Amino acid sequence: MSHFLPALWVLGFFLHGITKSTLRPSEFHLKGDYLLGGLFDIHYVSSSRYQRRPEAIDCSREIFLLPNYRRFQLMRFTVEEINNSTTLLPNVSLGYEIFDICLDTLSLPGIFKLISVNGSIQPWPDPSKNRSKIVALVGPFTSTQSMTVAPLFMMDHTPMVSYGSSASVFSEKLKYPSFFRTVHPNKDTINVIVAIFQHFNWRWVAFLYSNNDFGIDGLERFIERIKNTDICLAYTKALSENTDLSQILKQIDADNIHVIVVFAPKIYAEAVIKTAIQLKVINKVWIADDGWSLNKVLQKMEGIKHIGTVLGVAQPLVTIPGFHDFINFTQGQVPKADSEQQTFCNQVCNCRNLTAEDILAADPSFSFPVYSAVHAVAHALHNILECGTGRCKDNISVQPLRMLDELKKSNFTLLNQSVQFNKNGDPRFGQLSVVFWNQSGDAQEVGFYHFSPSPTFFINDTLIQWHTDGEVPIALCSPECPTGYAKKLIGIHECCFRCEMCPNETYLNITDDPYNCINCKGTEWSPAGSALCHPRLVEYVPFTDSRAILLMVGTLILVGLILAVSFLFAINYNTPVVRSAGGPMCFLILGCLTLCCPSVFFYFGRPTNASCYLRYFPFLLFYTVCLACFVVRSFQIVCIFKIAAKFPKLQSWWIKYHAQWLLINGTFLIQALLVLLSFSFYPPRPYNETSWYPDQIVLSCDLNLTAASCSFFIPSLLCCLCFNFSYMGKDLPKNYNEAKAITFCLLLLIFTWILFVTEYLLYRGKYIHTLNALAVLSSLYSFLLWYFLPKCYIMIFQSHKNTQKYFQGLIQNYTKTISQ
């Protein structure tokens, strides 16, 4: 700063020397008690200028911008209106010094004139003396212009009230402490654009922006705003004088983008639209910012209707009372040779051929911001001068900091709007309109976005005439996935994806995570392509089930029959039938059958650790003893009739050492050890079967077949041995059919379990436990009915066969047959 101020002093002294004070006032200058500065870009430099030395530019020779000239006239009108008012600043006249700022870096002479005192700029040691006579600056329009000039005015806190600079940086009060604006910042405009996208579900968009502070800030705000939305920025490109617009539009078309935001001044926007018309770009939706959404030149341009639909965010059209009369009056008074009216550099319009109709027909955007900016300064001055009815005090010094404080406290009504600024100097009033360029070539208001007291967005879809035959255009990279389909990204954009159906037992929560299928809980299920999981139906066979009741009754009947047979065998214990059936071994078999019966009851009800254990343990242990007894019994039968004659020593050894009991006890001990070991390491436990029926949980018992296989080995081996021994006795006496009875029992046993295993492989519903219980009960009944019941029949109904004489006769006849 210490090096910068002396340089300003030198440049100010130079400007003082070239000031033309003898020329009569022009429309850029008006004397008054207090002066307002004004910066308007009435002209525009189309390309950068290369200069070998610092030199001010003559803006009047550049491209004329009629809408900006209209705003310039609006400031003049507002000052005249205030000067004619009897309530606002009575007996005080406002003046102005307005400059045409057509190029940021080469329009500084006018700016230095505003901050100079008597044509000089000095780093005054006393801030209260020798100040510029302007109390505030209205303007400039663009963000880049404001960034260029603002530091010069921020030094002594001279208030700046911009009517068009919308870059977000001006809200930072540490950098721009005395900056105010009557136009909403880019953030608000971007919010409206994003609201439009979300309203119409447009997610695949292009964003073209000017390569300056305004456009770059707009892009940054747009990227920040869509960060947590479904909108994807498919294409973005900075616009400048040398941009190849044809290539940009071809690339947009190649990327299948149907919605294009042009966030740029009217010069760039006009170039983009003209190029689109030339290239015959069709079926696009064009989104205009508030800088060109009311552009009357483009609205009437030939071919504009063929490029698609144009929507825009615009400053609301506010009619300024008396402005039309002012233009009609002043245009008749403009001197013909306006070059002679210039009092300082860039204070000439060179627009003497304009008519009042031309000015009034120009783009009316930013009219109210200009109008309210001048009024804000006037009201602040009104408060400082303590103006009352018809008079203001003239002995009060107007200091920049005092003006700054009063502007911060602004609160007045202007054309039914309450003008206020927030702590950042941004407006707390107004709204933004949503406009549609209709077939008549006019910008028709179809919606609005209110900022206070709370943001409110509304758009009337029925007023928009879409280029797609009345249907809202689609702007998607990929169509939305059906319910239950997860998105799998293609490339870097979240909007581009393929859809994959979620498999069974999974679902997609599109709100939390649309990209990954989530596994259902163990108690839930879902079909493929689901958006939620359903509770599984818990299935098991209760004790009240009719089939369960039938089997339990059958088990009780079996126990009763066993007891009856035991009683019958007990009272006929010394008879040949009981002795030939095994004698005391019969009671062991009957006892083991009885101990197997409780297993049936534990196949029903909700499984528990105890029920799962008792479902298998009694049957595996005691049924093995039964099989061991029948192995011994079948071996004894074959031994009596076939082996005894050939191997007499074997029979004597068998009888001497009671080998049958050694075999039975050994089998019992080995089986008990195996069962206890396997069930200790891998005990049966409740298990939820969900793999067979996705909508059910079948409560079952998990039996580790690998660990329990040793427990099944001995019963299987005994069954094979028993079947072999009994089959060897198939040619024994016809009436002595114990071997045949044992063979038949074993065939029933094998057939029963083959049926069950087959059913188990095909079906795992809740009734598999009923079938298992039935197989167990059938195994018990087979021995009782086909081995013991025939003997009971002989003891009860054929007692003549239950004699020693009858049995000896059978054996003698068989021996004679063998010897012959």
Side-chain angles (χ1 to χ4, degrees):
M1 182 64 73
S2 62
H3 296 84
F4 180 62
L5 293 178
L8 291 182
W9 183 87
V10 173
L11 183 57
F13 182 79
F14 166 74
L15 294 174
H16 175 65
I18 65 171
T19 303
K20 299 178 180 179
S21 60
T22 60
L23 295 181
R24 55 183 175 152
S26 70
E27 59 183 348
F28 287 81
H29 173 76
L30 179 67
K31 292 183 178 181
D33 299 325
Y34 298 94
L35 286 184
L36 300 182
L39 296 177
F40 291 83
D41 48 344
I42 301 174
H43 294 83
Y44 170 74
V45 178
S46 60
S47 59
S48 302
R49 299 294 179 88
Y50 173 75
Q51 293 177 314
R52 293 185 177 180
R53 62 178 182 176
E55 186 178 36
I57 190 171
D58 185 359
C59 292
S60 62
R61 298 179 180 179
E62 304 301 328
I63 301 173
F64 177 67
L65 300 177
L66 180 57
N68 296 12
Y69 180 72
R70 186 182 193 275
R71 297 170 196 137
F72 159 75
Q73 291 293 346
L74 187 57
M75 177 177 175
R76 295 183 61 237
F77 160 74
T78 308
V79 173
E80 292 286 351
E81 180 187 60
I82 294 171
N83 286 339
N84 293 327
S85 173
T86 58
T87 57
L88 182 60
L89 292 175
N91 81 304
V92 173
S93 64
L94 286 180
Y96 51 75
E97 283 282 354
I98 305 176
F99 291 92
D100 185 0
I101 178 170
C102 59
L103 192 63
D104 306 330
T105 56
L106 300 180
S107 299
L108 292 175
I111 298 167
F112 289 130
K113 176 68 164 57
L114 293 175
I115 64 175
S116 66
V117 178
N118 298 323
S120 299
I121 303 173
Q122 299 182 19
W124 308 117
D126 187 355
S128 64
K129 298 179 181 179
N130 300 319
R131 288 191 177 277
S132 169
K133 202 171 184 180
I134 67 165
V135 296
L137 174 69
V138 175
F141 179 63
T142 70
S143 297
T144 301
Q145 292 166 354
S146 292
M147 288 185 180
T148 303
V149 306
L152 301 174
F153 292 89
M154 298 298 109
M155 289 189 300
D156 60 355
H157 293 87
T158 300
M160 287 179 62
V161 185
S162 175
Y163 53 87
S165 300
S166 56
S168 303
V169 68
F170 298 117
S171 297
E172 300 178 17
K173 291 298 100 178
L174 289 177
K175 293 182 179 178
Y176 303 96
S178 59
F179 188 94
F180 297 84
R181 52 183 162 191
T182 53
V183 64
H184 286 275
N186 284 340
K187 178 187 68 174
D188 293 338
T189 305
I190 292 299
N191 282 341
V192 181
I193 293 175
V194 172
I196 294 173
F197 289 168
Q198 292 176 329
H199 180 79
F200 294 114
N201 196 31
W202 292 334
R203 304 179 185 176
W204 189 240
V205 301
F207 194 96
L208 306 182
Y209 62 99
S210 56
N211 192 21
N212 55 23
D213 300 291
F214 166 75
I216 294 173
D217 179 69
L219 175 66
E220 291 174 352
R221 301 287 79 74
F222 183 75
I223 293 175
E224 179 183 339
R225 178 63 180 81
I226 66 174
K227 187 175 296 182
N228 296 320
T229 68
D230 294 329
I231 301 170
C232 290
L233 183 55
Y235 181 83
T236 181
K237 189 69 176 179
L239 303 177
S240 63
E241 293 84 358
N242 303 320
T243 302
D244 187 350
L245 297 178
S246 299
Q247 181 60 34
I248 290 175
L249 294 176
K250 289 178 181 178
Q251 184 62 49
I252 288 175
D253 204 47
D255 291 341
N256 197 30
I257 303 171
H258 298 299
V259 175
I260 306 169
V261 179
V262 182
F263 201 86
K266 64 183 292 293
I267 299 297
Y268 295 130
E270 288 177 355
V272 171
I273 298 301
K274 289 177 182 177
T275 305
I277 294 174
Q278 293 172 2
L279 294 178
K280 297 182 179 180
V281 175
I282 59 173
N283 299 331
K284 304 295 183 186
V285 176
W286 303 85
I287 306 295
D289 64 54
D290 54 355
W292 65 278
S293 57
L294 301 180
N295 189 307
K296 295 182 178 296
V297 175
L298 289 179
Q299 292 171 12
K300 305 293 183 181
M301 186 176 292
E302 184 179 356
I304 191 68
K305 298 178 182 178
H306 302 302
I307 66 171
T309 303
V310 180
L311 298 177
V313 180
Q315 299 288 333
L317 292 178
V318 178
T319 301
I320 310 297
F323 180 61
H324 284 211
D325 296 335
F326 173 80
I327 294 296
N328 288 322
F329 175 76
T330 56
Q331 284 305 108
Q333 301 298 318
V334 172
K336 297 301 181 182
D338 59 356
S339 61
E340 298 179 1
Q341 302 295 316
Q342 179 167 282
T343 62
F344 195 81
C345 182
N346 291 330
Q347 285 190 311
V348 63
C349 175
N350 194 21
C351 50
R352 56 183 177 272
N353 296 325
L354 280 178
T355 65
E357 290 75 15
D358 294 334
I359 298 173
L360 295 175
D363 182 355
S365 299
F366 301 94
S367 294
F368 188 76
V370 174
Y371 188 66
S372 58
V374 178
H375 268 277
V377 175
H379 278 79
L381 188 60
H382 182 91
N383 294 333
I384 292 174
L385 298 178
E386 300 178 4
C387 298
T389 304
R391 185 161 192 84
C392 298
K393 295 182 180 180
D394 56 3
N395 60 347
I396 297 178
S397 175
V398 179
Q399 299 293 331
L401 288 176
R402 184 71 188 280
M403 280 291 295
L404 179 60
D405 290 337
E406 290 299 330
L407 279 170
K408 289 179 179 179
K409 295 185 289 185
S410 295
N411 188 0
F412 60 92
T413 301
L414 185 64
L415 300 183
N416 298 322
Q417 295 196 49
S418 179
V419 178
Q420 300 178 57
F421 298 101
N422 62 20
K423 63 180 180 180
N424 298 323
D426 298 330
R428 294 177 59 186
F429 58 92
Q431 65 179 46
L432 290 175
S433 299
V434 179
V435 298
F436 157 67
W437 290 9
N438 59 27
Q439 299 298 317
S440 302
D442 298 320
Q444 178 184 355
E445 185 173 343
V446 295
F448 59 80
Y449 191 100
H450 287 300
F451 295 101
S452 60
S454 60
T456 304
F457 176 74
F458 170 78
I459 190 167
N460 190 345
D461 303 8
T462 60
L463 297 178
I464 303 175
Q465 302 168 9
W466 300 107
H467 61 273
T468 50
D469 298 328
E471 297 291 331
V472 176
I474 297 174
L476 301 172
C477 179
S478 302
E480 197 62 34
C481 290
T483 301
Y485 283 72
K487 298 177 181 179
K488 300 302 177 182
L489 294 182
I490 302 174
I492 62 173
H493 293 290
E494 293 184 356
C495 297
C496 301
F497 49 82
R498 67 179 186 275
C499 300
E500 290 186 2
M501 180 186 291
C502 289
N504 294 331
E505 309 302 325
T506 65
Y507 72 100
L508 184 74
N509 188 336
I510 192 171
T511 303
D512 293 341
D513 185 4
Y515 304 101
N516 296 294
C517 300
I518 304 173
N519 292 325
C520 293
K521 298 178 181 178
T523 58
E524 297 176 335
W525 75 284
S526 68
S530 294
L532 51 86
C533 292
H534 309 282
R536 294 180 188 266
L537 180 64
V538 179
E539 294 279 13
Y540 64 94
V541 182
F543 288 103
T544 56
D545 183 80
S546 58
R547 302 170 184 82
I549 293 174
L550 186 63
L551 289 176
M552 289 187 290
V553 171
T555 304
L556 294 176
I557 294 174
L558 175 63
V559 173
L561 290 176
I562 292 174
L563 293 176
V565 169
S566 300
F567 178 75
L568 185 60
F569 269 56
I571 61 176
N572 293 281
Y573 181 76
N574 294 318
T575 62
V577 170
V578 175
R579 303 293 292 180
S580 64
M585 196 177 297
C586 293
F587 296 99
L588 178 60
I589 295 174
L590 292 172
C592 289
L593 290 179
T594 304
L595 293 175
C596 289
C597 288
S599 295
V600 177
F601 293 91
F602 294 105
Y603 283 94
F604 309 116
R606 185 182 290 269
T608 62
N609 289 328
S611 66
C612 288
Y613 194 87
L614 294 173
R615 179 181 295 188
Y616 300 109
F617 181 78
F619 181 74
L620 284 175
L621 181 60
F622 296 111
Y623 201 77
T624 301
V625 176
C626 292
L627 288 174
C629 292
F630 280 106
V631 168
V632 170
R633 187 68 194 129
S634 59
F635 177 77
Q636 286 178 330
I637 295 171
V638 173
C639 182
I640 292 173
F641 287 95
K642 293 190 173 183
I643 299 178
K646 299 179 180 180
F647 304 100
K649 292 183 179 180
L650 178 61
Q651 182 182 14
S652 61
W653 182 86
W654 180 273
I655 296 173
K656 179 179 179 181
Y657 294 102
H658 304 284
Q660 68 271 25
W661 297 112
L662 292 175
L663 179 61
I664 292 173
N665 289 328
T667 301
F668 172 77
L669 293 175
I670 293 173
Q671 178 68 357
L673 180 63
L674 292 177
V675 172
L676 289 175
L677 285 176
S678 62
F679 281 16
S680 297
F681 289 104
Y682 300 99
R685 61 186 62 192
Y687 166 71
N688 295 339
E689 173 60 62
T690 59
S691 59
W692 280 71
Y693 303 99
D695 60 336
Q696 297 179 9
I697 297 178
V698 179
L699 301 185
S700 180
C701 289
D702 181 26
L703 181 65
N704 190 311
L705 294 178
T706 303
S709 59
C710 58
S711 303
F712 297 119
F713 173 74
I714 291 184
S716 302
L717 176 63
L718 294 176
C719 188
C720 293
L721 290 174
C722 185
F723 184 81
N724 287 332
F725 289 142
S726 60
Y727 184 77
M728 289 172 62
K730 65 182 185 299
D731 56 347
L732 293 178
K734 181 177 180 181
N735 293 327
Y736 193 83
N737 54 7
E738 284 196 33
K740 296 179 181 178
I742 294 174
T743 303
F744 188 71
C745 290
L746 291 175
L747 287 176
L748 282 179
L749 177 66
I750 295 171
F751 180 72
T752 297
W753 287 102
I754 288 176
L755 281 180
F756 171 73
V757 171
T758 303
E759 186 66 25
Y760 183 79
L761 294 175
L762 300 176
Y763 171 73
R764 295 289 178 85
K766 68 176 182 178
Y767 289 113
I768 193 65
H769 306 300
T770 303
L771 294 175
N772 199 345
L774 179 62
V776 170
L777 191 60
S778 177
S779 301
L780 300 178
Y781 265 106
S782 64
F783 282 147
L784 180 68
L785 295 180
W786 305 111
Y787 184 78
F788 288 100
L789 212 59
K791 295 172 176 52
C792 294
Y793 180 81
I794 293 175
M795 285 186 286
I796 296 174
F797 300 105
Q798 295 180 346
S799 56
H800 63 281
K801 295 182 179 180
N802 190 16
T803 60
Q804 189 73 23
K805 180 180 178 181
Y806 181 79
F807 271 77
Q808 288 178 351
L810 290 175
I811 295 173
Q812 290 174 0
N813 292 334
Y814 177 75
T815 303
K816 291 179 181 180
T817 304
I818 293 297
S819 61
Q820 292 177 356

